[in-house]
Amino acid sequence: MLDKIMREIENSKGPLTTRELAKRLDIEESALEGMLEFLERKGRLSVYRPGEDCEECGLVSCASCVYRAACPRSEEGGDS
Amino acid sequence: MAAVRTSATVALAGNPNAGKTTVFNNLTGGRQHVGNWPGVTVEKKEGTSRHRDLTFKVVDLPGTYSLTAYSLEEVIVRDFISGEKPEVVVDIVDASNIERNLYLTTQLMELGVPVIIALNMMDAAESRGVQINVELLSELLGVPVVPMVGLRNRGTEELKDAVAAAVGGEARFRGIQVNYGRELEEEIERLQGSIEGEGGVPPEFLGRYSSRWLAVKLLEEDAGVETDITAYCGRDCAVFKQFEDSRRHLLSIFGDDIETVIVDMRYGFVAGVVREAVKRKREDAVTTSDRIDNVLTNRILGFPFFALFMWLMFFLTFFLGKYPMGWIDSLVQGLAKLVNTNLTSPAWLNSLLVDGVIGGVGSVLVFLPQIFIIFICISILEDTGYMARAAFIMDRIMHWLGLHGKSFIPMVMGFGCNVPAVMATRTLESDKDRMITILVNPLMSCTARLPVYALFTAAFFAANQGTVTFSLYLLGIVLAVAMAKLFRKFLFPGESEPFVMELPPYRWPTLKGTLVHMWDRGSLFLRKAGTVILAGSVVIWLLSYLPPGIEYGSSGSLAGMIGRALEPLVAPLGFDWRAAVALLFGFVAKEIVVSTYGALFGVGEDKAAISASLQQVFTPLTAYCFMAFTLLYTPCLATVAVIRKETGSWKWAAFAVGYSLALAWLVAFLIYRVGLLFGLGG
């Protein structure tokens, strides 16, 4: 199962969402999450979970959480 | 005849959010107390429950996904089960996420304790189109399975019946074990032999764990089990000798670390069980977010939509921003006139206040509406969940570059400000990816460049301000991507690791949330206007005013002398000495480019007057070159400082300044020369 995940990701021509990957492998998305966490811990791949580090900022996406925590924020930092 | 048990201990295990606490409350009612697990601050809940003649203590274990030694919660769960030996472990399984939850079940069964599965949230599973054959599931796993809806207190009595039957010895536990395949099973058996044999693990330790569980855990290189066995029999005992032999043998077969093989086998076992006992209706799985994503993250349509949203953002910024901008401009001009006509101070102080302070800060402050509008747009894009999609769309390009898909995320953040964006590269695991992303991040156009674009596009491209600004943002992205490719090839060669992304569902942004985000970010711009820009304006005023008696802001002033000394460097780009001075001070903060022009032209904050003066020294072609140069040349002082901090080296900070300066010069030169070739110089 873990090999299938790695193969599917490596053979994919573009980026993959966990949802798309779960569909392709015909497994439950939450089960896939568990497997991805394991593979991530092993350093085989990485998973981006928007907002996982900045729950307190309340944004849906961490991607553009420009001035907020972790999405690290720095008071001394101004605009460049 | 064996005596009938009247008391027992029941442990509740399960994944987080599987409804464990609800089932615990249903079982115990008000008869519970809360404390901490010994030596740690993890909450421990215990209660009692009665069923016919049986009284049982219910212990709510922390929620875990597995029983490794990686987290405190997992260690607590396995230590309690192996140490306290509860009569029954009730595994609360979320039926709507059964495949993930059963992974823990396999590990609980491996511990060799009687397990009852409480199949909770059956209603949620059914509403998601998940149908579970409970009898077949029980048969396949060899343990009792009780369907439940904990929130409605359904199935609680049946669960108590099952617990009572288990305690009374009436339930059948076949406890199916995962079959790890011939090679692994052979080594597990050998290890079991050494664990149980002479020189192995003493009986008091074996009483806690089954030898099979210990063997599997050793092969998984479980740190906790290794430490425990070492404490009992030392590192040189027969167990570790056998472990080393088995490990070597298995590595030669699988060529992978053994833990991965074992975990894979467990998932395979769970997948097999689910395939047999669970049926899903696939057609219910398409959500509104999926439908929108089919268009917005489509391989072909994704980029045009991304470009359209970006263009729309800049169009709105300038279209809506021009009205409040005019009001602020009038206000600042009025203030300057008021000070100029009513102040009876010395001429130099008058000039300092009007030309330096009001002119310098005011010339930047008039762009506040645009800054606020662009932050409203960015807030809407992120609150809806689109920004995560932007990173997803761009991942294709990043992947082609050999860069990590995550790298685009700090780059998107760079549209706001490069300082936190550079810091956000900490989320990248690979040092090489991180270095590349840090180095190209300043090429992403932050909001500090916006006043420069706004000033120049108003003076030279009034009819197409949004489109021209959009082209500059695009230029920044394209060059960041190109430089990343170069850095990957020559400075940091290597492959990026595979990348998967979780996309959040689309949501409607709230008015309050959008306004709060706009103010949070926009107010930083205001603060900056009152600090860095103010200080910069005073310095520029001083340099434009001195030496005494010179015409303010003329080529004979100190600023003029600096500019003329630097002019040969920028002359090939079609710029004069004023541009050299403006760019030099823009290194502190890019907005200062605007206030410098205000000072050098001696027109202060008067935007129309600055525009008119700019038209005397720039053509549309050189104006575009100047904006491109401003976009690309050296990161601001704060960004350079943060690059130094994040890379831990002045060398890389200096490199970021040097390469971006060279790139800016080269790009501006090419645009200028190609423009001249096409007759655009007039």
Side-chain angles (χ1 to χ4, degrees), chain B residues 372-671:
Chain B
F372 275 130
I373 293 169
I374 207 164
F375 277 135
I376 287 178
C377 294
I378 291 176
S379 283
I380 291 172
L381 288 177
E382 70 194 20
D383 287 358
T384 52
Y386 182 75
M387 274 302 192
R389 268 81 185 173
F392 178 76
I393 293 162
M394 291 304 291
D395 179 75
R396 281 186 203 126
I397 293 177
M398 305 311 283
H399 194 71
W400 170 73
L401 293 174
L403 250 187
H404 200 290
K406 268 186 182 176
S407 295
F408 191 69
I409 292 149
M411 286 165 73
V412 170
M413 290 174 66
F415 286 147
C417 173
N418 298 134
V419 171
V422 167
M423 293 166 79
T425 58
R426 290 174 191 170
T427 58
L428 302 174
E429 287 83 6
S430 156
D431 287 343
K432 287 181 177 180
D433 284 3
R434 190 160 178 248
M435 284 301 298
I436 295 172
T437 311
I438 286 174
L439 291 176
V440 302
N441 203 292
L443 303 181
M444 304 302 283
S445 191
C446 68
T447 47
R449 277 100 153 181
L450 200 64
V452 182
Y453 304 155
L455 179 70
F456 278 77
T457 53
F460 296 95
F461 308 97
N464 300 299
Q465 274 191 283
T467 308
V468 171
T469 305
F470 168 67
S471 75
L472 288 161
Y473 274 72
L474 214 57
L475 180 69
I477 296 174
V478 169
L479 287 171
V481 163
M483 292 313 294
K485 182 82 176 168
L486 277 177
F487 292 153
R488 168 62 86 197
K489 191 169 173 60
F490 296 109
L491 291 180
F492 307 101
E495 287 294 314
S496 64
E497 63 185 5
F499 169 68
V500 185
M501 190 165 179
E502 283 181 14
L503 289 182
Y506 286 102
R507 289 180 196 174
W508 284 107
T510 62
L511 181 65
K512 188 185 167 191
T514 304
L515 292 178
V516 166
H517 297 157
M518 176 203 76
W519 176 249
D520 277 359
R521 299 164 186 192
S523 60
L524 283 182
F525 176 78
L526 269 177
R527 198 188 308 168
K528 196 172 169 186
T531 53
V532 179
I533 294 170
L534 174 63
S537 298
V538 171
V539 171
I540 293 157
W541 171 82
L542 201 65
L543 293 173
S544 305
Y545 193 80
L546 294 174
I550 202 80
E551 187 189 344
Y552 179 77
S554 68
S555 62
S557 65
L558 286 177
M561 288 179 215
I562 296 168
R564 276 187 289 115
L566 295 172
E567 195 173 15
L569 295 173
V570 295
L573 314 177
F575 305 160
D576 71 350
W577 65 269
R578 294 178 190 85
V581 178
L583 292 169
L584 180 69
F585 288 106
F587 174 57
V588 178
K590 297 276 166 94
E591 298 96 328
I592 292 179
V593 169
V594 172
S595 47
T596 307
Y597 267 115
L600 294 179
F601 287 136
V603 291
E605 84 302 331
D606 188 343
K607 201 176 141 286
I610 301 176
S611 288
S613 302
L614 284 174
Q615 284 164 352
Q616 303 295 315
V617 291
F618 282 101
T619 65
L621 176 63
T622 53
Y624 192 85
C625 291
F626 185 80
M627 287 189 286
F629 196 96
T630 306
L631 159 70
L632 303 170
Y633 91 111
T634 77
C636 72
L637 207 57
T639 307
V640 173
V642 86
I643 290 175
R644 148 77 186 88
K645 191 175 158 200
E646 294 298 312
T647 59
S649 151
W650 278 115
K651 187 185 79 175
W652 287 115
F655 178 77
V657 172
Y659 102 80
S660 57
L661 201 55
L663 181 70
W665 195 94
L666 192 68
V667 170
F669 180 78
L670 284 175
I671 295 172

Side-chain angles (χ1 to χ4, degrees), chain B residues 4 47 116 405 475 677:
Chain B
V4 178
I116 294 173
L475 180 69
L677 276 180

Side-chain angles (χ1 to χ4, degrees), chain A residues 1-2 15-19 26 28 30 37 41-42 46-48 50 59 63-64 66-68 78-80, chain B residues 70 97 100 257 259 264 285 290 382 395 404 413 417-418 446 448 498 500-502 517 520-521 528 636 639:
Chain A
M1 189 58 79
L2 300 177
L16 273 177
T17 62
T18 46
R19 197 171 179 79
D26 193 25
E28 203 177 81
S30 62
E37 277 165 22
R41 183 157 53 77
K42 285 281 168 189
S46 71
V47 183
Y48 171 56
L59 290 176
S64 48
V66 180
Y67 292 106
R68 292 169 187 278
D79 294 353
S80 62
Chain B
Y70 289 110
N97 289 301
R100 176 161 209 187
D257 81 305
E259 186 190 5
D264 200 17
D290 290 338
E382 70 194 20
D395 179 75
H404 200 290
M413 290 174 66
C417 173
N418 298 134
C446 68
V500 185
M501 190 165 179
E502 283 181 14
H517 297 157
D520 277 359
R521 299 164 186 192
K528 196 172 169 186
C636 72
T639 307

Side-chain angles (χ1 to χ4, degrees), chain B residues 8-29:
Chain B
T9 300
V10 176
L12 298 189
N15 285 191
N17 304 316
K20 217 155 39 61
T21 304
T22 311
V23 174
F24 176 80
N25 291 337
N26 292 345
L27 285 172
T28 60

